[in-house]
Every structure is written in structure tokens, then in C-alpha cells.
Amino acid sequence: MRNVTKDNITDVFMGYLSDETDPRTREIMGSLVKHLHNFARETNLTHDEWRRGIAFLEGCAAVETEDRHEFVLASDVLGLSSLVDMLHSSEGATSSSVLGPFHVSGAPPLAYGGDMKRHYGGPMLLAEGVIKDTEGKPIPGAQLDIWQTAPNGLYASQDDEQDTFSFHGLMTVGEDGRYAFTTVKPVEYTVPSDGPVGDILRACGRHPWRPSHLHYIVTAPGFKSLVTEIFPDDDPYLDQDTVFGVRDDLVMRYVEAPASEFPDGMALSGKVTEPFLRVAFDVTLMRDS
């Protein structure tokens, strides 16, 4: 096509695609280019603005490492990660929420009632619940991958003072589907804002704060995997999460309990001498049809 214009360039692009192009690839690329071209036309994008956009992408690549995923963070703060989650959440199951850029694979096994708080200061939290199907039946053998920040608001992958799997654990539930573990009460924290994503937040007049939360990945044979987070109902950033991760069914309540009510059968049973926080949160998985 010799006579490419601002009005026909999108159609010309589609015409360049091979007849052998995978149909889904054609659909996605066609829609992507259509929206990109319309965006440029609607905003009358200038050369300088286009160059700044390219510089943003190059900046993300420049700071991308094994432990820092700036492109994932960009997707998070633009709401794309959460939108994809919501598009593919299963009705009747626990809502999915953002994976985030700080998950570490290969977490060590964590027994039922195990402790992740260890020597760290801060209020103790006992989290417990049942992993069940949409009929309310427990799912034996389901796996729960858990991670969170330390009391300083940093994940293990961000903090040289923590070991690789600090505040990470992988629990396999028994026949009753129950899980339980102790940890430190999570804290609200800021996403990294010293790179290109931070520049975007500041340009938009946005803050970098996330409400405190626990991360879960829940898997079981025959069921759809779930990536989610759970949030306390009194967090100051619950209604302004910078990565749009909060859902109504993921909000729970911490209840303070005296040391005398700490249950038996836990790693810290008989060792708790101060009041602790307790939260019950059940996880519902959808069968993989």
C-alpha cells in the first residue's frame, strides 16, 4: 500500500497480517493497534509526547531485574492487572486479585499451624479458614502459597536484611480443608516509586500506597487456580489502593483475643503470652470444567 494516510493506516496494518495468522492473535493485535491508533488521533499525540512514552518503556526495561518487575508494576498501577483478574474471576468463587511483582516461587513447606512471624516484632496474627468448593465442601490436599511484607513494609525480594523466603510458606491442607498459620500483622506500604512507574504516579497526582494484605495462591487438582489477596476492614488505604486490588469479598476483620484463647495444635501453642489478632477467611475454588 503506497498511499498510507492517518485515516487508513489501521486498515493497512490489518491487511499486512498473513492469512495464516492465528485467529486469536489477529483479534488481539488488531484491537491493540486500533486502540493505539485511535488514541494517537484523539489526543493529537506529538512527537515529544511519543518520545516520552518510548522513554518510559525503555526506563522500565532498564530497571527490570529478577527481583524487580517494573512492567508488572506499570500494569498494576494502570489498573490493567486488576481488570484482567476481574474479567476472569469465577462467579461463585473467591474473587481473584493482583499477583504483584514480589512473589517468590519455591516457598518452603509450612505445616498446619506453622509460624511465619519468627523473631519479627509487631502484633501477632493468627489466620485460619477452610478451602472449599462452591458447594461448601472442603477440598482435601489443596495447596496454599502465602506471602506478605515484613513489618518494615518490604517483601523479602526487596530487603537484603530478610532471607529469601521470609514471610513465605506453602501449606497443604488435610481432609478437612482447613489451614491455619501465625504471622505478623501486615502493614500498608508503598509500591516502588523511584523508577518510571513512580514518575507516572507523580505526574497523575497519585499516591503509591497499598492497603495491608496477605497474598494467597490456592491450587487443587480439578479446580481453577486462584491468585488473591485479603485485606483488613480498618485499613486507611482500603478505598484507594494504588493497584486497584480490593474486592468486597476479600475484606475481613481482625479480632483481638487474649493469650488464653490461643488454640492448641499450633507451632506457638503454649508460648503466646500477649493478646493476639485472629482472622477467619474461607477460600472458595471453582471446579475446572
Side-chain angles (χ1 to χ4, degrees), residues 15-50:
Y16 284 172
L17 296 179
S18 167
D19 291 339
E20 297 178 358
T21 303
D22 172 75
R24 180 62 172 164
T25 301
R26 175 183 289 273
E27 179 184 7
I28 291 174
M29 290 303 299
S31 182
L32 173 65
V33 170
K34 176 182 177 181
H35 286 288
L36 281 174
H37 289 182
N38 283 339
F39 159 73
R41 283 187 285 255
E42 289 169 9
T43 62
N44 195 28
L45 193 69
T46 67
H47 285 93
D48 182 60
E49 291 162 342
W50 172 79

Side-chain angles (χ1 to χ4, degrees), residues 5-218:
T5 71
K6 63 183 178 63
D7 296 315
N8 71 9
I9 189 171
T10 309
D11 293 333
V12 172
F13 171 86
M14 293 303 297
Y16 284 172
L17 296 179
S18 167
D19 291 339
E20 297 178 358
T21 303
D22 172 75
R24 180 62 172 164
T25 301
R26 175 183 289 273
E27 179 184 7
I28 291 174
M29 290 303 299
S31 182
L32 173 65
V33 170
K34 176 182 177 181
H35 286 288
L36 281 174
H37 289 182
N38 283 339
F39 159 73
R41 283 187 285 255
E42 289 169 9
T43 62
N44 195 28
L45 193 69
T46 67
H47 285 93
D48 182 60
E49 291 162 342
W50 172 79
R51 282 190 289 268
R52 289 172 66 186
I54 295 297
F56 169 78
L57 297 176
E58 292 175 339
C60 287
V63 300
E64 187 84 4
T65 67
E66 183 178 353
D67 296 324
R68 177 166 181 168
H69 304 286
E70 196 77 0
F71 284 111
V72 174
L73 185 59
S75 175
D76 290 349
V77 304
L78 293 175
L80 180 59
S81 301
S82 277
L83 178 56
V84 173
D85 286 335
M86 290 184 282
L87 287 172
H88 299 284
S89 282
S90 301
E91 187 175 350
T94 299
S95 294
S96 62
S97 189
V98 293
L99 173 67
F102 302 113
H103 176 251
V104 178
S105 300
L110 182 69
Y112 176 89
D115 176 57
M116 297 199 306
K117 185 176 187 293
R118 300 185 298 164
H119 61 279
Y120 286 89
M124 177 182 293
L125 173 65
L126 167 58
E128 55 193 335
V130 179
I131 300 176
K132 57 187 180 179
D133 62 20
T134 53
E135 297 177 352
K137 299 176 181 177
I139 304 175
Q143 281 199 328
L144 178 65
D145 190 348
I146 310 153
W147 74 103
Q148 66 173 93
T149 61
N152 62 1
L154 297 176
Y155 289 92
S157 60
Q158 297 176 286
D159 188 0
D160 292 338
E161 298 300 316
Q162 299 182 54
D163 61 57
T164 302
F165 295 113
S166 176
F167 292 104
H168 287 70
L170 184 64
M171 184 175 296
T172 302
V173 305
E175 292 297 315
D176 59 1
R178 295 197 63 82
Y179 73 88
F181 62 92
T182 49
T183 186
V184 69
K185 177 187 176 184
V187 296
E188 58 269 14
Y189 65 90
T190 58
V191 300
S193 58
D194 58 342
V197 169
D199 293 338
I200 290 290
L201 291 175
R202 285 184 287 275
C204 295
R206 290 175 52 190
H207 68 70
W209 286 92
R210 292 218 64 202
S212 58
H213 54 273
L214 293 168
H215 288 274
Y216 287 174
I217 297 178
V218 192

Side-chain angles (χ1 to χ4, degrees), residues 226-269:
L226 175 69
V227 178
T228 196
E229 308 169 282
I230 59 175
F231 306 85
D233 63 358
D234 61 350
D235 192 283
Y237 294 101
L238 197 65
D239 293 315
Q240 44 183 316
D241 179 8
T242 198
V243 306
F244 311 96
V246 181
R247 319 278 183 264
D248 281 343
D249 66 316
L250 303 181
V251 178
M252 41 69 179
R253 173 168 293 180
Y254 294 148
V255 178
E256 186 172 272
S260 59
E261 292 184 8
F262 193 85
D264 295 329
M266 309 281 289
L268 298 182
S269 296

